[in-house]
């Protein structure tokens, strides 16, 4: 895109609250206003079990920076309109859920006839993040034997995000540890909220532990759920091991740094596993309305309960979000709870509730349990049929629906009976 070409675009969706946070005026096209000196990103595009390819991402340009006290990069990305609309709503929905993510400022479309708009790639999305630097950038530098670029990228990473480690002997190990931890935190949140990322390529893996692109929320629970028909094993349950594999790739890149001599970064990547397990367990206990315990035997029992909940959800194909939100109202009446899920009583439910009732009894009378659970178990998530309705509303220029939907998705823990059709269990 050139600055001249952007004058042909008009705003379709604009995030007024985020723009205000950055001190930006929304009276004109944000993309055109902020467009500065575009930089094309070069990276290695790599998925586990797939060959490496080198790419210049001319569809994702760094076009400038904004600040709210902290500097944030601006990325302008050209995609098919439906994808941009979905990414816009998904990004802000993830943020409202507390899942680390890049943010969306604007979706713009080329000013052509209405018929053409939805048949050609005439859309751009303007996003912001502390950094869009990904694992794929380091991989490109190493795989093309540009080791000085590898050194420069690392220096930039430290200077901008880990200045507290500058000049330390183990700066590489310390920074790598931080990346492992932030990645574990992101993955723990994805898994706890039933979110599956669209892609797990190295170019999509942030070094800040934030969600860079779009994905989909699971409806009826399925460990093998995938947003699209991947042939590389990418699915909900495989996300943590695939992230771990990507961290091993990053370890091999960092190992090429001059100051990495004597470090075993590949072994250090294993800390991701324990970090993820701890963070995920704590999130799941919060979803269950339970408090983590430091007593080993009780911690083991709590882990068994979490595993039992996963088994129940998977075997019964229960609507994931509706199950957790409904659980806050559970007071011992299994039959009513199961009927509300539109399921039938089974041994799977008995196995789960035998354990759950035991843990609730151990915790004793807890009048704040339901309130706490409703602060981590959303009332509504961006289900597929809601995403489709958003796209249709955009086509019809139904701005009232788009505005209302954005408000609901950015306040996902608040109950709103007007949106109950998007909340009830998804039919099998």
């Amino acid at each position: 895109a050139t600055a001249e070409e952007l004058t042909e675009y008009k705003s379709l969706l604009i995030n007024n609250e985020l723009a205000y946070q950055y001190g930006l005026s929304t009276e004109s096209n944000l993309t055109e206003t902020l467009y500065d000196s575009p930089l094309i990103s070069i990276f290695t595009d790599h998925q586990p079990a797939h060959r490496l390819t080198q790419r210049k991402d001319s569809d994702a340009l760094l076009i400038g920076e904004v600040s709210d006290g902290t500097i944030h990069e601006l990325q302008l990305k050209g995609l098919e309109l439906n994808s941009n609309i979905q990414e816009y709503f998904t990004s802000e929905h993830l943020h409202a859920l507390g899942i680390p993510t890049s943010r969306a400022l604007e979706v713009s479309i080329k000013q052509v006839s209405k018929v053409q708009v939805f048949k050609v790639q005439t859309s751009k999305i303007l996003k912001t993040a502390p950094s869009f630097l990904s694992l794929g950038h380091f991989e490109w530098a190493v795989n093309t034997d540009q080791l000085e670029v590898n050194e420069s990228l690392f220096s930039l990473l430290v200077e901008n995000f880990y200045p507290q480690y500058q000049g330390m002997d183990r700066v590489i190990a310390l920074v790598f540890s931080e990346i492992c931890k932030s990645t574990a935190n992101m993955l723990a949140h994805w898994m706890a909220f039933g979110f599956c990322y669209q892609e797990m390529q190295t170019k999509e893996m942030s070094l800040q532990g934030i969600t860079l692109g779009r994905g989909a929320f699971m409806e009826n629970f399925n460990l093998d759920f995938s947003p699209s028909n991947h042939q590389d094993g990418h699915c909900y349950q495989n996300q943590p091991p695939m992230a771990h594999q990507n961290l091993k790739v990053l370890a091999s890149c960092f190992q090429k740094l001059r100051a990495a001599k004597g470090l075993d970064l590949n072994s250090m990547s294993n800390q991701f596993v324990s970090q993820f397990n701890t963070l995920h367990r704590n999130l799941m206990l919060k979803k269950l309305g339970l408090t983590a315990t430091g007593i080993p035997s009780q911690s083991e029992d709590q882990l068994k309960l979490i595993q039992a909940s996963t088994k129940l959800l998977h075997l019964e194909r229960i609507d994931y979000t509706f199950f957790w939100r409904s659980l806050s109202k559970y007071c011992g009446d299994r039959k009513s709870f199961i009927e509300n899920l539109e399921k039938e009583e089974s041994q799977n439910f008995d196995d789960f509730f035998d354990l759950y009732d035991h843990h609730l009894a151990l915790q004793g009378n807890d009048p704040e349990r339901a309130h706490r659970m409703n602060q981590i178990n959303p009332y509504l998530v961006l289900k597929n049929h809601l995403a489709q309705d958003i796209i249709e509303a955009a086509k019809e220029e139904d701005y009232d629906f788009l505005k209302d939907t954005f408000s609901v998705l950015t306040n996902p823990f608040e109950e709103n009976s007007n949106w109950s059709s998007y909340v009830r269990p998804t039919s099998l």
Side-chain angles (χ1 to χ4, degrees), residues 305-419:
L305 174 62
I306 294 169
Q307 292 168 340
S309 70
T310 302
K311 181 179 178 181
L312 170 66
L313 286 159
H314 183 71
L315 292 177
E316 296 288 342
R317 290 294 193 266
I318 301 171
D319 185 293
Y320 187 77
T321 301
F322 190 72
F323 171 83
W324 290 110
R325 187 69 177 200
S326 300
L327 200 62
S328 67
K329 300 181 179 70
Y330 174 72
C331 296
D333 187 345
R334 300 183 185 185
K335 184 177 180 181
S336 295
F337 180 84
I338 295 167
E339 287 177 351
N340 187 48
L341 293 179
E342 301 177 6
K343 296 291 180 180
E344 296 181 358
E345 295 180 72
S346 69
Q347 188 62 48
N348 295 324
F349 280 105
D350 286 338
D351 290 344
F352 168 74
F353 279 115
D354 285 347
L355 283 172
Y356 192 45
D357 288 343
H358 169 70
H359 282 280
L360 290 178
L362 283 178
Q363 193 153 293
N365 182 39
D366 185 359
E368 294 297 314
R369 178 174 68 89
H371 175 69
R372 290 199 316 275
M373 291 174 72
N374 286 341
Q375 290 181 316
I376 192 170
N377 295 317
Y379 173 69
L380 172 147
V381 295
L382 183 56
K383 290 184 174 182
N384 288 334
H385 61 293
L386 177 53
Q388 190 57 45
D389 286 349
I390 290 170
I391 290 169
E392 292 301 319
K395 290 180 180 180
E396 297 301 322
E397 298 184 2
D398 184 350
Y399 295 108
D400 287 339
F401 181 81
L402 294 174
K403 181 179 178 181
D404 290 346
T405 307
F406 188 80
S407 177
V408 168
L409 288 174
T410 52
N411 294 279
F413 299 101
E414 295 181 13
E415 297 203 9
N416 188 326
S417 58
N418 295 331
W419 296 79

Side-chain angles (χ1 to χ4, degrees), residues 94 115 136 144 148-149 173 258 306 309 341 400:
L94 290 175
V115 173
T144 55
E148 287 304 317
V149 174
R258 288 188 290 269
I306 294 169
S309 70
L341 293 179
D400 287 339

Side-chain angles (χ1 to χ4, degrees), residues 133-140 202 205-207 246-247 249-250:
L133 194 63
S134 74
L135 192 160
H137 292 100
F138 280 90
E139 197 176 15
W140 169 79
T202 51
M205 293 301 294
S206 161
L207 296 178
N246 282 339
L247 286 170
V249 173
L250 182 62

Side-chain angles (χ1 to χ4, degrees), residues 222-237:
N222 179 1
L223 288 168
D224 296 321
F225 167 73
S226 175
S228 55
N229 297 319
H230 289 283
Q231 302 298 318
D232 57 6
H234 174 46
C235 64
Y236 171 76
Q237 68 175 332

